[in-house]
Structures are given as structure tokens and as C-alpha cells.
Amino acid sequence: MDIARCNLECELNNTDHHTDLNGVDRLIVRRGQPFIITLHLNSGGYQPGVDDFRLLAETGPYSSEKMGTKAIFSPDDSIDDTRWSASVSCSEGDYVSLSICSSPDASIGRYSLSLEQGDTVSLGEFVLLFNPWCPRDAVYMDTEEERAEYVLTQDGIIYRGDHKYLQGTPWNFGQFEEGILDACLRILDENPKYLRNAQDDCSGRRNPVYVSRVLSAMINCNDDKGVLWGKWSGDYKDGISPMYWRGSVEILRNWDTSSCTPVRYGQCWVFAAVACSVSRALGIPCRVITNYLSAHDTNSNLVIERYIDENGKLVKQSRDMIWNYHCWVEGWMRRPDLLDGYDGWQASDPTPQEKSEGVYCCGPVPVKAIKEGQIVFKYDAPFVFTEVNADVVTYLQHKDGSQTACKCNEYSYISMSTQNLIYLQICSKEEREAFERAGHQNKLLQQQLQPGLHIKIKVSPEMKKGCDFDVFAYVTNNTNAAKMCRLMFCSRATSYDGILGDDCGFKDLLNLKLAPGEEKQVPLKLNYCKYGSTLTKDNLIRLTAILFDYSTKEAILAMRTIVLENPEIKIKVLGEPKVNRKLAAEITVKNPLPEPLSSCCVFVEGANLTGGRTITETIGSSVAPGADAKVKVYFTPSHSGLRKLLVDFHSDNLGHVKGYRNVIIGK
């Protein structure tokens, strides 16, 4: 055949392979699924049995049939979707259409395609991705609804806040925005395993377990030229606060265009969100999950040991921590390397906490194994198990240096939730059985309605930033004898990773009398003039109540973290939302503080709404207490369907206030 040119039929194939949101200017296909190319001939036509040729598909710098990174195959009568194959689908006049199918376990990445018929003719290049639509692919999902949610959806909600006050943060995953797929492929090529042995690494890319583990290491930069630099204390003057980010697009672009310089800074929800974007871009179904009261066990004993002083302040004798929440990702895949029954969601954590096999990465490990307490499974099951199901032991350190183990009426167990569901109940029977299977006994179970002293913290129904409000300690004497006690009720600003800040309010009752069966309510006033300057950007306050029984020398502890509400962002879309039609959004935020706001900015972005960029509007004047900050922004949608317009309001005293508006874009 005298080939003049090859048409890779990008628009047809990309649409068929659910990659058209990446654009249709190049071929992006999914493995195990046929695609069409058309050969245009200079003269003559294709003659079956006469024009013999072979096709070559190659990936990586050292492609090899043995390693599975080179495929050589000739056209057959029909496609075989279990391996690399091809067939002539149409031959008429001066063109030939070929149907080509990759192996369902082929390595993902950039490929070159060529034709051999004596000489070798280059037909072009394409990108091959994992295929959740292909039953033979290890990432196959069997419902269209799930594939739409975990592969194609470009925005979502990441839960932060507290387990008693779930705070949804909108996020633009943006996996199909311009340049993002290239950045994701570059992440694979910059990982140390590729740099040490490109042939082995490219071969490993056939396995989503391998790729997920690479991503877990490469989203952070602790061991490599990874995407994000983590920082949890101090200021962010030499970078950008983690609170600033509204999506993954700007982060991935910044990393890609700065010669892979790590982007400063990220924290757990940012690490997880970027990992989710990259996973979905490569074709791995993925979701961000939030684990509330998340344990960080540094000595692998599945017990979190904490030491506090009489003012409720942590005494740093242990590196064990409880984060108010922690985010990671779950990817959907088969696990042929494990026992049967552990396919499905696999937990993977890109936030750098502890090393795994000498590298800061974690997972993937089957969620089912964690629920069952099967801590011998790959990878890093003990660490993840502790995050969701650790026991907590708190010791009260007295001024004379002695220590008392606290009975804890609240705040002892861990729960896990995801974007769409909560699937581990606190202290469920299954969790206890799982804990025992892991070989550890929980000694804190015998608490509910037992004889003795009890303490519980309750809060006001609304706790808005800028307002004064009360919180309450309820103490109960569930004995037949009168009790003389000391109650220490304190509050401190805290960050989400459990690091305590300055005092927000304190009450110390040295002689609290409790009659038999008596319950008393003790209020603690939290005033904005006191807590306003101490709050971190997380808007969290840790409440600690310690009841000390003089007669028995027993200490009873209750702890609770509260989230102060930011004001609501009101977003009004003006005009009829249609593709390629300019729209306006009117954004309003009321200042809830008793002081003016200055340096006010509004940041707006949205997948397929703002052209892959962030729209920034500044407010020139300060905003008085109780007044509205109002701006209008303009954007032009590029695709139809349900989209999220993400808004971030920032000022000197209010920090980053986030909101979103769902917009249905018509064709």
C-alpha cells in the first residue's frame, strides 16, 4: 500500500471512548476497546491477501514485547478484544479503514503506532488510558451511574469541619481541562521508579495497583519531584495557603509549567483532591473520602496515647495525634495479588505521614480488609486500620508531674465518611470485632450509664464566626454519695491536625458540689473579642472539660471540637445558561464580624465554565460590619450539562469563605 496519510479519527474515537472532554485534536482511547483509523492511499487500493502488513504499538523509551510495552500484530478477520488485534473494517477506492483494539491489560501512557510492510510507516501517536467500561479491564465498573460519578465528574464536595458538623468544600477536579492529562502523564515519567528503570516502570503501568502506589508517592514531594509541598504550621508567605485552592487545575498546571517544582502548599484535602484528579484523568475510578477523628499512630500499637495538663493543653510526650479529619482517596480496581473477595475500593493516601517501603506513600489497601481488621494485607493495612479504628487513652498530667489515666465519656472512637455516604458507624459491633481480629483489646467500652461521675459537653445550636455564644459542660453524679469535685472547662483554638493554639476562654471551679443523682450545667462564654484573634484558618475551637473527683482521685474527661460557621455566599446566575453564551454571576457576602473587612477578593472557577482559568475580582473599598460585599463576574460555558460554579471570598479578617452554585448548561 502506498500510504499518503493516516487519519486517526480523533473526534469519532474520543467520543466513543469517553475522552472527548479532553478535546478532539489528538487520539485518546481506552484499553480493551476498538478504535478506527483511516489510511488514505496515493494510488491503487487495498488488496486482501496481497497487501500484507503488520501494526506496531509501542510505549516507553525501551519498548519490549517481553515486558508488554510493544505489540506486533497483523489484521485478522475480526477483532479479538482479549489482546492487541486489528481488522480491516472497510476498504473502498483509495482509503482503508482499520479497527484496532488494545489489550485490556496493556500499559497506559503515550504510544506510537506504525505500519510495517517492508518499510516502516509512522501512523501517528495516541494516549491509552484505563477503561472502566471494559469488563476485562481491572478497573471495570458495572454501572453507568458509578462511571459517571467516579470517572467523568469534574467537580464535587470534599467534607471537612467536624464529625458533628460536616462542612462541604466545593472542589474543581478538572481532569479534562486543557493540559491536565499531559501533566498527569508527566507525573508518571518523573517518578523515581521510572528514572531508575523506565522499562520496568512502563511495564508496571498495566496494573492500576502499581499506578496508584506511584501516585500516592508522587502527589507529595517528600522523596521526589512530586506535585505538592505539605505544610501544617507557620505562615505561607513563600507560597500559597492550602486554604486558597479551589481545584486541582491550577496546582497541576503550576507544577507542569515550572519544570516539576513542587507547588507550595498543600494539606490533606488538597493532596487527596489532586490524587483524585490524576486518577480519574488516567481512567481509574476514584473518590475523595474524609475520616473524622482520624488517628495518626506512630508506634504501630493501634492505640493513641495522649497527655494533657490541667488546662487541657496537650503535653508533647507522644507523637500520636488525632486529626479532626483526614482526607485520602479510594480507587476502584481488582486485586489479583490478594485473596479472592478483596476487589473493589482500595484506600490510598498521598499525604506524607509515615514511610512505606522507604517512601512516603500509603496503599492501596482494600477497604473491605480494613473493615474486617485484616491488617496483614498489602499495602499499609495497619496504618490505615489505626486511622479509622484506634483506641484512645488520655492521661492527665498534674503539676507535681504525676499522671492519672482519664475516663473518657466522649471522643473515643473513629468514624469514616465519604463524599456520598458514611459507611463505618462509630463503635459498631463490626468495628469491635474487627479490632479484636487485629489483636488489640479496647479497654474503654464500659462507660455508658455506669455508676460514677459523668461529664458531657453541649453547644449552642448556632455558632457563627463573629458572634458571642455559650458552650456547656453537663456534670452528673451517678452515685449514692455526695461528691466534691474540681471542674476545669477550657477552650483553645486548634488546627484540623490536632495542634492546639491559644486560649479562647477558661473556667476553673475548685469546689463543685454534686448531690447524689444531681446534674449541673456549667456555661462557658466564648467572646469574639477573645477567640477572634486566636482562630486558625480552620475555624476550629477545641473544648475540654476535666472533672476531678477529690475522694477517688479519678479524672473524667470530655472533649469536643466545634466549627464556627462562615457567612453564606449568595450566587445568582444572570441570563439563560447555554453553551458559548456569555453569562454573569452576581456574588454577595455579608460581613458577620464586628469589624470591617479589607483586601477583599473574589475568586471564581468551574470546569467547562471559566475556560480552565480562575477569574479574580477585587473589591476596592473596605466592607463595614453587617454590610454586603458584592461583585459581578462574567464567564462563557464551553460544554453542556450540570456544572458547578465555585466561588472563594477572601479578606484580611475572614479568611477563605467558599461556596458554589450548580448550573445546568443547555446546548
Side-chain angles (χ1 to χ4, degrees):
M1 292 186 295
D2 185 8
I3 300 173
R5 61 185 178 87
C6 176
N7 184 348
L8 295 179
E9 307 291 355
C10 299
E11 183 172 2
L12 172 67
N13 289 316
N14 289 10
T15 301
D16 191 40
H17 285 246
H18 306 278
T19 63
D20 52 305
L21 286 174
N22 286 298
V24 293
D25 57 336
R26 60 174 172 166
L27 182 60
I28 304 171
V29 292
R30 300 186 185 275
R31 62 187 194 173
Q33 181 176 339
F35 60 93
I36 299 292
I37 66 171
T38 302
L39 304 179
H40 292 268
L41 309 179
N42 283 318
S43 60
Y46 170 70
Q47 301 179 54
V50 176
D51 293 322
D52 292 330
F53 62 88
R54 302 190 306 172
L55 294 168
L56 282 75
E58 302 175 87
T59 186
Y62 311 107
S63 62
S64 159
E65 286 188 272
K66 180 181 178 182
M67 301 298 291
T69 52
K70 176 193 282 188
I72 303 174
F73 50 102
S74 300
D76 293 321
D77 292 337
S78 61
I79 287 290
D80 182 350
D81 60 9
T82 66
R83 59 179 179 84
W84 284 93
S85 62
S87 68
V88 176
S89 56
C90 183
S91 174
E92 186 173 318
D94 59 355
Y95 74 89
V96 180
S97 290
L98 298 178
S99 181
I100 299 172
C101 187
S102 63
S103 171
D105 65 350
S107 292
I108 65 162
R110 301 180 192 276
Y111 275 79
S112 64
L113 182 65
S114 55
L115 182 146
E116 281 188 350
Q117 52 175 5
D119 295 332
T120 300
V121 178
S122 174
L123 301 181
E125 297 181 345
F126 65 95
V127 176
L128 187 66
L129 304 177
F130 291 111
N131 192 355
W133 285 264
C134 174
R136 290 188 172 88
D137 196 304
V139 301
Y140 173 67
M141 298 191 96
D142 59 4
T143 71
E144 189 59 41
E145 182 181 7
E146 287 182 311
R147 292 190 290 260
E149 174 69 24
Y150 301 122
V151 183
L152 299 180
T153 297
Q154 298 184 75
D155 45 47
I157 303 297
I158 297 173
Y159 286 109
R160 298 168 57 216
D162 181 72
H163 71 291
K164 292 186 177 181
Y165 182 79
L166 306 187
Q167 193 173 54
T169 298
W171 193 269
N172 175 22
F173 295 112
Q175 67 268 33
F176 300 121
E177 295 285 7
E178 184 178 355
I180 298 306
L181 179 57
D182 290 321
C184 297
L185 295 173
R186 189 172 186 180
I187 289 172
L188 298 182
D189 289 346
E190 291 292 337
N191 96 81
K193 293 181 178 181
Y194 177 86
L195 299 177
R196 285 195 300 267
N197 190 324
Q199 191 176 49
D200 283 352
D201 180 77
C202 289
S203 179
R205 295 180 191 180
R206 67 180 66 189
N207 183 357
V209 176
Y210 177 87
V211 171
S212 295
R213 194 153 172 81
V214 166
L215 296 182
S216 173
M218 280 297 295
I219 299 304
N220 71 74
C221 67
N222 286 41
D223 309 285
D224 42 49
K225 296 170 70 175
V227 176
L228 276 164
W229 189 307
K231 189 174 184 180
W232 284 264
S233 61
D235 60 54
Y236 304 100
K237 292 179 181 178
D238 58 342
I240 294 176
S241 166
M243 294 290 180
Y244 165 83
W245 307 115
R246 296 159 300 280
S248 307
V249 175
E250 188 175 354
I251 295 170
L252 290 167
R253 282 181 179 160
N254 287 352
W255 177 82
D256 189 37
T257 57
S258 64
S259 300
C260 307
T261 300
V263 176
R264 305 181 186 210
Y265 289 101
Q267 292 178 2
C268 73
W269 74 93
V270 185
F271 285 103
V274 173
C276 183
S277 297
V278 176
S279 298
R280 290 183 182 182
L282 297 178
I284 299 174
C286 191
R287 63 188 183 188
V288 176
I289 73 101
T290 299
N291 183 47
Y292 286 99
L293 303 181
S294 187
H296 183 176
D297 179 26
T298 58
N299 57 10
S300 301
N301 67 350
L302 303 192
V303 176
I304 303 301
E305 298 157 325
R306 300 183 310 166
Y307 301 82
I308 61 173
D309 64 19
E310 293 179 349
N311 296 322
K313 188 175 182 180
L314 284 174
V315 180
K316 294 189 176 180
Q317 295 185 7
S318 171
R319 289 179 56 233
D320 288 354
M321 295 291 293
I322 296 177
W323 291 22
N324 211 55
Y325 62 87
H326 180 49
C327 298
W328 61 77
V329 294
E330 292 174 358
W332 180 272
M333 63 198 72
R334 297 189 190 118
R335 290 301 300 266
D337 56 324
L338 302 178
L339 299 174
D340 290 343
Y342 292 92
D343 299 339
W345 291 114
Q346 312 288 319
S348 181
D349 191 351
T351 300
Q353 297 183 86
E354 301 293 330
K355 287 190 174 183
S356 172
E357 298 179 343
V359 177
Y360 279 99
C361 66
C362 181
V365 60
V367 171
K368 181 182 177 184
I370 299 304
K371 287 185 176 183
E372 294 176 348
Q374 303 287 359
I375 62 172
V376 297
F377 280 32
K378 295 189 294 186
Y379 291 90
D380 310 306
F383 185 80
V384 178
F385 181 85
T386 304
E387 288 184 300
V388 303
N389 203 2
D391 270 348
V392 181
V393 180
T394 303
Y395 296 92
L396 175 63
Q397 181 167 299
H398 302 281
K399 291 179 180 179
D400 61 5
S402 63
Q403 294 176 351
T404 303
C406 296
K407 287 176 59 180
C408 193
N409 290 162
E410 297 182 292
Y411 194 64
S412 295
Y413 309 109
I414 315 301
S415 65
M416 183 188 288
S417 72
T418 77
Q419 178 174 331
N420 296 316
L421 67 157
I422 294 175
Y423 59 89
L424 286 184
Q425 296 180 347
I426 299 175
C427 300
S428 68
K429 177 182 177 182
E430 291 77 11
E431 277 189 292
R432 288 294 85 201
E433 291 175 351
F435 193 83
E436 290 165 6
R437 267 198 297 274
H440 290 261
Q441 299 295 320
N442 185 338
K443 298 178 181 179
L444 301 177
L445 275 175
Q446 310 300 323
Q447 296 172 5
Q448 294 185 349
L449 302 178
Q450 296 296 313
L453 294 174
H454 297 273
I455 187 166
K456 189 171 186 177
I457 296 173
K458 295 186 178 182
V459 299
S460 302
E462 287 192 351
M463 296 172 289
K464 297 182 182 293
K465 187 174 181 179
C467 296
D468 302 337
F469 57 90
D470 290 315
V471 293
F472 306 91
Y474 283 78
V475 292
T476 306
N477 178 11
N478 193 25
T479 73
N480 295 322
K483 291 286 186 178
M484 180 68 74
C485 305
R486 178 185 180 186
L487 173 65
M488 293 156 283
F489 194 9
C490 57
S491 60
R492 288 183 175 275
T494 184
S495 56
Y496 86 95
D497 60 349
I499 303 299
L500 294 179
D502 293 333
D503 173 45
C504 297
F506 181 77
K507 182 173 284 189
D508 190 355
L509 303 181
L510 292 174
N511 295 293
L512 179 66
K513 296 180 181 179
L514 292 169
E518 183 180 10
E519 179 181 77
K520 283 188 176 180
Q521 172 189 297
V522 180
L524 177 64
K525 190 79 170 181
L526 297 184
N527 298 304
Y528 176 75
C529 63
K530 180 73 179 282
Y531 73 73
S533 60
T534 69
L535 282 180
T536 69
K537 300 298 184 183
D538 297 309
N539 281 359
L540 300 173
I541 295 177
R542 172 73 54 78
L543 305 176
T544 304
I546 305 170
L547 188 65
F548 187 74
D549 185 345
Y550 286 121
S551 62
T552 64
K553 309 301 182 185
E554 185 179 58
I556 302 96
L557 170 72
M559 300 181 78
R560 181 165 180 176
T561 301
I562 59 175
V563 184
L564 302 190
E565 293 182 56
N566 274 323
E568 178 189 4
I569 295 183
K570 296 181 179 179
I571 307 166
K572 184 178 181 181
V573 176
L574 308 175
E576 184 181 3
K578 285 193 173 184
V579 173
N580 297 325
R581 176 178 292 182
K582 190 174 183 178
L583 294 174
E586 188 177 78
I587 298 161
T588 307
V589 182
K590 182 182 290 293
N591 178 10
L593 306 184
E595 54 190 333
L597 304 177
S598 58
S599 303
C600 300
C601 287
V602 175
F603 306 94
V604 179
E605 68 177 89
N608 305 134
L609 293 177
T610 61
R613 63 185 182 91
T614 298
I615 301 171
T616 303
E617 291 288 341
T618 60
I619 299 174
S621 58
S622 63
V623 181
D628 287 339
K630 186 176 291 188
V631 297
K632 188 179 289 186
V633 298
Y634 297 89
F635 60 97
T636 304
S638 59
H639 291 80
S640 62
L642 178 62
R643 308 295 175 195
K644 276 186 172 62
L645 188 69
L646 279 56
V647 176
D648 179 7
F649 173 83
H650 181 260
S651 65
D652 56 347
N653 292 321
L654 202 52
H656 290 275
V657 181
K658 299 180 186 293
Y660 71 96
R661 174 70 181 267
N662 286 328
V663 186
I664 300 176
I665 308 299
K667 294 183 178 180

